[in-house]
Amino acid sequence: MPAFGTSIPRKVMTLFLLVDCSGSMAVSGNIGKVNGAIEEMIPLLRNISDENADAEIRIGVLAFSSGCRWIGGGVQDLDHFQWTDMKASGLTDMGAAFRELENRLSRKEFMDGAAGNYAPVIILLSDGEPTDDYRSGLAVLQHNNWYREAQKIAIAVDKASIQTLSEFTGNIETVLSCNGQKEDLKHLIVNVATVSSKMQSRSQTAGTKVDEKEIADQIRRQQEDKKKQVISELAHMIKERGEASVDGNTAAEIESYLAKVGVPSGNDLEPTYKGLVAHLKSLGGSTGTPAGGANGTAAASASGKTKAKVADPFADDNDW
Amino acid sequence: MGKLDKLKIALLSVASKLGMGAAKAPDEHTEEKEAAREPAPAEKSIRRHAFAVSSIGHSHKKEGTLCQDWAETAEGDGFLIIAVSDGHGSRNFVRSDRGSRFACRAALDAMHDFASEIRAEHIVGSRRANEVVSMLCKNIIMRWRDAVNEDVKACPFTEDEVKNVSDKYRESYLAGEQAEHAYGATLIALLITEEYMLAIRNGDGECVTVSRRGHMDKPIPWNDKCEASVVTSMCDRSAIDEFRFFYTTDLPAAAFIGTDGVDNSYPRTEELFELYANICTEAVDNGAENMKSELEAFLPVMTEKGSGDDVSIAAILDSELLNGVRDELMEQRMRVERTHELRRLNRRLVRLGDQESDEASALKDEIAQLEAAIRADREKARELAAAAEAEKAAAVKAEWDSEIWDDVKKR
C-alpha cells in the first residue's frame, strides 16, 4: 500500500456523554450505576475502535449538577481515557451543560481535526427536572451545526422529564426510559454508547450520520431479544423443575434472571408457577412501552410502528 | 464595459494610488497578461515548483458520482499560483464539478493580474491591505459568476439534470435564475511571488505552510461559519465577505492547500502536518516528479481509509529552502511516530488490566520515557512557534513603522 508517513488516514467519531450528577442521582445508587457503566463501556468501545481500523472513537464526559465540568478535562482518546468516578450532589443545571457543550462543539475547541468526520454522538442522561433555565441553553445549542448533525439520544432515569429530554433529542422516539433497576441502567448506557458508536463509525461516508431512530430501534430490538432469551430460559428452568410454587432459592434465581433485563421483581412477583408465568407473559408483551414506561425498555414510537411483540415462550402453555 | 473590466480598472487604480505605474486599460493589460503567461524560462522556475493532484472520493466512486474537486496551478513572470476547489455534494448543487473548475480558473486568472501589479509593500504592513485583497476576492467572484453565466447560456439546465433538485431551486434553474447555486464550491488559492505570499480561502479545506525554519502552520484564519458540514461558498450572496486571507514576506519553504477531503482524513493536525512534511522530504530525496507519482498513487488510499470524499492537494515547493529544513521535517515525522507509539503502548497497558507483571512494569517504563520525549518535542515546537510569531510581529512592526515614518515625512 502506498503510504506517506506513519499516520494512517482514518475517520473520527466523538462520543459525548452529558451526565446528570445532581443529588437525586445518589438515590438508589444511580450514580454508581452510571460510573460502573462508563467504566465497563470503555473496553467495549476500544474493541469497536480496534475492529475498525478506518475509524477512531473519542470520548468526552460532561458532568452537570450545580454548574458543569468535563471529566478528564475534555475530549480524550480512548487509549488514554482513565475513568474517575463522579459523585452526585447539588442541582440539575442542564442549561449550563447545554451552553458548555455549545462552546466546545467548534473547530477551535473539541472538533479540531475532527471536522467533517462522522457526526458526533451525544447521549444525555438525567433523572429529574432541570433546575436552571435549560430552554435558553438549549436554544443556543440548537444553533450549533455540530449539534444539529449529531446523533442525539437521551436516557430518562426514574422520574426524569421525558418532555425536556425529547426537546434535547428533538424526538420522543429517541428518549429511552429506565427505572433504574439493578443492572438495567448500566446495560442501557453501555448499549446506547456501543450501538451508536458502532453504527456511526461504520457508516460509509464521513460527514454523514446514521439516523438516531435507527439506533434507538436497534437498542430496542437488542433489549427485547435479551428479555425474550431470559424469559425463555426462565420458563425452561421452571418447567424442568415442575414446581407448583417457587421456593426461596428459585425466587432468588428468578430475581437474578429478571435483573439481567431490569424486569421488576420481588414484592409484586406472585410465588406461584401460574402467577409467575402470567407475569412473565405480561412482561413479554409489554416490551417497547412508551418513554416513561416501566422496565427499562426503549421508548416506543409514538405511532406504535416500532412496537414489537416478543415471541411467546409459553405458547404451548395456553391452558394455564 | 462589463463589471469585471470595471473591477480590473479599480484594482489597477488601487495599485496606481499605492505607487505603481499608471492604471492600464483592460485590453492593454490583457495583451501583457498573455505575454506574462508564456512559460517562464526553465532556469527561472528551477528553485520553486508547483504541482496539483486530485482523486475522486472513495464513496463518490462507489455511488457513481463525478469528482467535484478541482486543483490547478499557473505560472507567471516571477510567481506561481495554486488553487483547489471542492464542489458541494448535496443534490441541489448539480453542476458543482464545473463550479470548482471555474473557481480555480477564476482565482488563477485574477491572481495572475494581481501578482503582475501588486508589490509586497502594497499589502504587507499597508493600511490598505484589506482593501487590496478584498478587491482581489471581488475580482475572483465576478470572474466565477461570469464563467457560470456563460456556461448556463451555452448549456441551459435540462429537466433530466434537475429532476432530483428541490422544488425551490428546480424552477429557478430551469428559468435560468439563481444558477450560481448549482455551481456552489469552496476555494483556496495561494500566490507566491519573489516578494510575498498571499493565501485566500472561502469555505473549508486547509492551507499548511512550512517556514524556512521548518515550522509548520495553518496560517489562514478560520471562518467561524464553517462548522460541521456547513461551509461558506463561492455561490453565497455574501461570498466576497466570506473570504479569509493571509500574507507574508517571509516566504515559506513549502505551501500546501488541500480540500477538506484531505484534512478530514487525519484526526489530528500533527498527522496532517506529517503528511505534508513527508511530501516535502520525498521531493527532496527522490525528486518532485517521483514524489508527485507516489502522491497520486496514495490519494485513492487516503480517501478510502479516510474521509471517503474527493481529495485534492496543490503545493508550491522551494527546493533550496526545503533542503535546509529536511532534518527538521524528518524530526516532525519522528514526533508523530512517538505519539503513535505512545498510543500503542497505552493500549497494550490498558489491556493488561490492573495486574502487576513484568510486562506491565516494562511497558510503564517505556511509556514514561516516551512521555518525556514527547514533552520535550512539545516544548521545542512551542519555542519554534514563538520564534516564528516574534519574527512575524517584528516584520509587521518594522513595515508599519516605515509607513508611519513615510507619512510623517510627507506631512
Side-chain angles (χ1 to χ4, degrees):
Chain A
M1 180 179 86
F4 264 91
T6 55
S7 304
I8 301 162
R10 61 207 185 282
K11 294 171 272 285
V12 173
M13 202 283 291
T14 311
L15 169 69
F16 290 98
L17 282 172
L18 274 58
V19 184
D20 180 349
C21 290
S22 59
S24 57
M25 283 291 286
V27 178
S28 310
N30 279 342
I31 195 68
K33 290 168 202 163
V34 174
N35 283 323
I38 295 176
E39 207 163 1
E40 188 176 304
M41 163 183 100
I42 299 305
L44 298 174
L45 291 176
R46 281 195 187 111
N47 288 341
I48 294 170
S49 203
D50 288 353
E51 283 165 17
N52 185 1
D54 296 349
E56 181 178 316
I57 299 170
R58 292 177 186 174
I59 183 165
V61 183
L62 179 62
F64 60 94
S65 52
S66 298
C68 58
R69 70 182 179 98
W70 292 95
I71 306 295
V75 168
Q76 298 173 63
D77 295 341
L78 279 176
D79 294 334
H80 296 277
F81 193 83
Q82 295 282 345
W83 181 244
T84 318
D85 279 355
M86 300 176 293
K87 290 186 172 60
S89 69
L91 304 173
T92 310
D93 290 347
M94 197 182 281
F98 290 159
R99 280 197 191 81
E100 171 61 17
L101 182 64
E102 199 284 323
N103 284 335
R104 304 297 183 165
L105 284 175
S106 144
R107 286 191 52 133
K108 287 178 179 164
E109 295 283 343
F110 293 165
M111 306 313 283
D112 175 39
N117 279 263
Y118 295 121
V121 173
I122 309 174
I123 299 171
L124 170 64
L125 183 145
S126 179
D127 74 336
E129 293 276 353
T131 49
D132 65 349
D133 176 15
Y134 77 95
R135 281 211 167 93
S136 68
L138 186 58
V140 173
L141 184 60
Q142 281 168 339
H143 283 98
N144 185 293
N145 290 331
W146 293 102
Y147 165 82
R148 285 180 180 183
E149 293 177 13
Q151 287 179 6
K152 299 172 283 285
I153 294 179
I155 298 176
V157 183
D158 294 340
K159 290 172 184 168
S161 163
I162 303 294
Q163 171 59 28
T164 306
L165 297 180
S166 65
E167 282 177 50
F168 169 79
T169 62
N171 195 321
I172 198 161
E173 291 178 54
T174 47
V175 179
L176 307 169
S177 70
C178 169
N179 65 359
Q181 286 288 320
K182 287 204 171 177
E183 298 291 295
D184 183 29
L185 175 58
K186 196 165 154 183
H187 284 150
L188 193 54
I189 294 171
V190 172
N191 250 358
V192 171
T194 51
V195 170
S196 55
S197 302
K198 192 178 268 186
M199 286 179 75
Q200 182 66 340
S201 64
R202 285 179 182 169
S203 69
Q204 219 172 49
T205 315
T208 58
K209 68 161 185 169
V210 176
D211 186 352
E212 50 267 86
K213 281 187 225 161
E214 215 179 296
I215 293 173
D217 282 347
Q218 178 156 335
I219 291 165
R220 273 187 206 104
R221 281 196 296 274
Q222 282 191 0
Q223 297 282 98
E224 285 168 2
D225 285 351
K226 190 164 184 185
K227 180 170 282 187
K228 197 163 66 179
Q229 187 197 339
V230 170
I231 290 173
S232 172
E233 283 171 11
L234 195 50
H236 180 72
M237 182 185 86
I238 294 169
K239 268 190 171 181
E240 283 280 295
R241 298 192 181 179
E243 292 162 352
S245 63
V246 180
D247 61 24
N249 286 340
T250 316
E253 279 181 77
I254 290 168
E255 197 158 322
S256 149
Y257 262 74
L258 293 178
K260 287 184 187 173
V261 284
V263 171
S265 57
N267 295 338
D268 61 343
L269 196 66
E270 286 186 47
T272 64
Y273 183 21
K274 191 172 179 179
L276 179 60
V277 170
H279 182 75
L280 293 175
K281 285 177 84 169
S282 77
L283 293 173
S286 73
T287 53
T289 51
N295 307 341
T297 56
S301 155
S303 63
K305 271 193 295 187
T306 56
K307 199 164 180 172
K309 188 168 165 58
V310 175
D312 187 352
F314 301 96
D316 298 335
D317 292 337
N318 287 338
D319 55 326
W320 282 96
Chain B
M1 187 182 288
K3 280 183 184 172
L4 192 56
D5 290 337
K6 284 181 189 165
L7 261 174
K8 282 182 188 172
I9 288 182
L11 179 62
L12 296 172
S13 162
V14 169
S16 168
K17 283 177 196 164
L18 290 169
M20 296 299 305
K24 300 173 188 106
D27 289 347
E28 191 187 339
H29 174 67
T30 307
E31 282 171 25
E32 278 202 9
K33 183 182 86 174
E34 291 308 319
R37 293 198 71 173
E38 287 294 310
E43 60 272 19
K44 282 190 181 174
S45 56
I46 284 173
R47 189 175 138 174
R48 284 205 192 91
H49 165 81
F51 74 89
V53 287
S54 274
S55 178
I56 185 168
H58 183 69
S59 60
H60 293 189
K61 206 171 173 181
K62 282 174 88 172
E63 289 157 11
T65 53
L66 292 168
C67 177
Q68 288 145 345
D69 267 14
W70 193 265
E72 207 172 332
T73 68
E75 191 173 349
D77 188 9
F79 58 85
L80 289 168
I81 314 166
I82 50 176
V84 294
S85 175
D86 173 14
H88 307 325
S90 312
R91 62 183 178 143
N92 289 336
F93 303 99
V94 285
R95 290 189 179 181
S96 67
D97 56 316
R98 298 186 212 185
S100 61
R101 183 157 42 100
F102 296 157
C104 285
R105 290 195 180 153
L108 295 178
D109 287 344
M111 279 187 147
H112 194 284
D113 287 352
F114 185 90
S116 306
E117 302 295 338
I118 303 294
R119 301 273 81 87
E121 65 264 32
H122 303 135
I123 46 173
V124 181
S126 164
R127 288 168 198 170
R128 302 191 67 178
N130 284 3
E131 191 185 338
V132 174
V133 179
S134 171
M135 198 69 83
L136 168 69
C137 298
K138 203 168 181 178
N139 198 318
I140 292 170
I141 293 293
M142 295 305 290
R143 284 173 193 268
W144 182 77
R145 286 182 185 162
D146 278 357
V148 166
N149 290 337
E150 277 173 33
D151 193 61
V152 175
K153 217 165 148 187
C155 312
F157 289 97
T158 63
E159 289 280 358
D160 189 51
E161 193 180 9
V162 297
K163 66 183 177 204
N164 294 325
V165 169
S166 67
D167 294 345
K168 182 186 165 193
Y169 286 107
R170 190 186 309 117
E171 297 308 316
S172 300
Y173 291 172
L174 291 173
E177 292 160 7
Q178 289 186 289
E180 64 274 8
H181 198 83
Y183 292 76
T186 65
L187 172 71
I188 310 181
L190 187 144
L191 157 74
I192 295 186
T193 73
E194 297 298 339
E195 298 177 336
Y196 64 92
M197 180 191 99
L198 169 66
I200 58 168
R201 172 174 58 203
N202 184 344
D204 56 11
E206 202 52 89
C207 168
V208 172
T209 53
V210 182
S211 80
R212 57 182 65 225
R213 286 158 296 279
H215 172 66
M216 300 186 83
D217 194 14
K218 297 193 282 191
I220 308 179
W222 190 255
N223 185 335
D224 291 337
K225 289 181 187 168
C226 299
E227 290 285 358
S229 63
V230 176
V231 290
T232 60
S233 171
M234 295 288 284
C235 70
D236 289 347
R237 279 177 196 277
S238 59
I240 296 160
D241 301 325
E242 306 304 351
F243 276 95
R244 298 292 180 269
F245 58 86
F246 171 80
Y247 48 75
T248 179
T249 49
D250 187 11
L251 297 182
F256 292 89
I257 52 176
T259 50
D260 70 330
V262 178
D263 52 284
N264 285 343
S265 293
Y266 293 92
R268 294 173 189 81
T269 297
E270 68 198 26
E271 294 180 15
L272 181 68
F273 283 181
E274 192 211 2
L275 167 77
Y276 288 138
N278 286 323
I279 291 174
C280 292
T281 51
E282 182 66 23
V284 170
D285 294 347
N286 300 315
E289 281 308 309
N290 280 334
M291 174 276 296
K292 191 181 166 197
S293 306
E294 286 202 24
L295 185 57
E296 279 171 327
F298 175 62
L299 289 187
V301 179
M302 181 198 287
T303 173
E304 184 185 347
K305 300 281 174 197
S307 64
D309 200 0
D310 298 332
V311 284
S312 297
I313 294 174
I316 298 175
L317 309 179
D318 183 322
S319 54
E320 202 175 299
L321 292 181
L322 279 179
N323 263 319
V325 295
R326 189 188 174 282
D327 290 348
E328 178 52 39
L329 293 172
M330 288 304 289
E331 186 53 36
Q332 170 81 21
R333 181 178 181 153
M334 293 306 296
R335 280 197 288 270
V336 176
E337 175 55 26
R338 279 194 279 273
T339 59
H340 287 317
E341 182 60 15
L342 180 64
R343 269 184 215 109
R344 276 192 289 271
L345 294 182
N346 269 319
R347 193 174 288 207
R348 271 177 58 197
L349 186 63
V350 161
R351 273 156 185 66
L352 286 178
D354 294 332
Q355 62 187 16
E356 290 293 327
S357 66
D358 291 346
E359 190 185 354
S361 160
L363 268 175
K364 281 176 189 166
D365 287 347
E366 231 180 308
I367 286 170
Q369 281 174 22
L370 262 176
E371 282 175 341
I374 288 168
R375 272 197 300 276
D377 288 343
R378 288 187 181 145
E379 188 51 41
K380 193 180 168 192
R382 263 195 294 274
E383 282 170 15
L384 260 173
E389 277 303 310
E391 265 184 53
K392 213 186 287 176
V396 170
K397 185 175 182 303
E399 279 150 10
W400 271 96
D401 288 349
S402 141
E403 185 162 297
I404 290 164
W405 182 236
D406 285 348
D407 282 354
V408 170
K409 277 195 291 188
K410 276 177 205 161
R411 282 191 211 117

